Amino acid sequence: MRAAKGEPEGRIVLFPHGGAGPNALSPLLAVLPQEYDILGVTLPGRERRFSEGFAETPGDPGAVVNGIVEELARLPVRPTVFFAHSMGVAVAVAVALADPGLRARLVLSAHPPGGTKVQQAAEYDEETLLAVIRLGGGTPDEILENPFWRDYVLGLLRSDLALAARLARQNLTGRLSVPLTVLGGDRDELVPVEELLPWEARTDAGARMRVFPGGHFYLLDEANRDAVANEIILAAKR
């Protein structure tokens, strides 16, 4: 997404929330230091991969994880931080467990270790998906008022929730060996702060937790961006 100016001090990999690509985190990218390469994980059906089908993605979560691991393995060896928000957390942790030798520091935002209560639903009907969008916020009304984009967004979100649920369950069978930074919003209606506390028990290297004012997308609020970026850089130096 952005190359470092000069010799990079490290690499930051962005794992975005459900139904989105990494460009959704661009407001945060703008305040990250220029000394880091910034990469973004893009799953099928969005941004540069818009033309690729996404319905089958949850059926083979291992392919998603292995694809990311293989791409990272082709890059120069550098200190690496994964910053993941919401469903992106399940993907980031799965990648970290699949390639522990990378020793990537993890900054995990607004997602419990075993997945959200919504992800544990038997099925993601339209009412459930619209409730997720309403509680999370951040989706313009004009998108949902357009029949094509409404169906597309709901389908993408349904696929991402299923993928995240499967990966989150699998992740519980592994254990992390790197320090964690866990972030959340104090008014997040999708993921209350207390649901983030179990992360401390998922690593042998300690966890730092910080709660910001705001809802599920607290990290994009202008008042929080610099502080969130600072947490990412602090994690890089741990």
Side-chain angles (χ1 to χ4, degrees), residues 103-108 176-182 203-208 235 238:
R103 299 287 299 171
R105 294 333 194 218
L106 300 177
V107 182
L108 309 177
L176 295 161
S177 59
V178 295
L180 305 182
T181 301
V182 181
T203 179
D204 298 319
R208 167 186 170 86
R238 290 175 75 180

Side-chain angles (χ1 to χ4, degrees), residues 61-92:
V64 174
V65 174
N66 292 337
I68 298 169
V69 168
E70 290 169 4
E71 288 200 37
L72 288 173
R74 291 196 290 266
L75 299 175
V77 176
R78 288 199 180 103
T80 299
V81 181
F82 291 171
F83 175 77
H85 179 61
S86 198
M87 82 67 89
V89 168
V91 182

Side-chain angles (χ1 to χ4, degrees), residues 46 115 168 194 202:
R46 65 214 84 194
E194 58 267 23
R202 301 300 307 156

Side-chain angles (χ1 to χ4, degrees), residues 28-87:
L28 181 60
L29 182 150
V31 296
L32 288 170
Q34 298 286 332
E35 293 80 14
Y36 289 80
D37 285 334
I38 312 294
L39 285 72
V41 172
T42 308
L43 298 182
R46 65 214 84 194
E47 295 183 12
R48 63 182 178 81
R49 303 183 69 183
F50 182 81
S51 62
E52 299 179 37
F54 55 81
E56 302 303 319
T57 303
D60 191 1
V64 174
V65 174
N66 292 337
I68 298 169
V69 168
E70 290 169 4
E71 288 200 37
L72 288 173
R74 291 196 290 266
L75 299 175
V77 176
R78 288 199 180 103
T80 299
V81 181
F82 291 171
F83 175 77
H85 179 61
S86 198
M87 82 67 89

Side-chain angles (χ1 to χ4, degrees), residues 143-189:
I143 294 291
L144 299 178
E145 291 167 0
N146 181 297
F148 171 82
W149 287 114
R150 174 190 170 99
D151 289 347
Y152 193 88
V153 168
L154 293 182
L156 196 60
L157 183 58
R158 180 181 289 111
S159 174
D160 285 353
L161 287 173
L163 174 66
R166 293 181 184 184
L167 287 176
R169 287 194 296 269
Q170 293 176 18
N171 291 343
L172 290 178
T173 65
R175 189 164 182 81
L176 295 161
S177 59
V178 295
L180 305 182
T181 301
V182 181
L183 309 179
D186 64 359
R187 298 187 299 279
D188 188 341
E189 296 186 73

Side-chain angles (χ1 to χ4, degrees), residues 5 9 65 110 139 229:
K5 288 187 176 180
E9 291 187 16
V65 174
T139 301

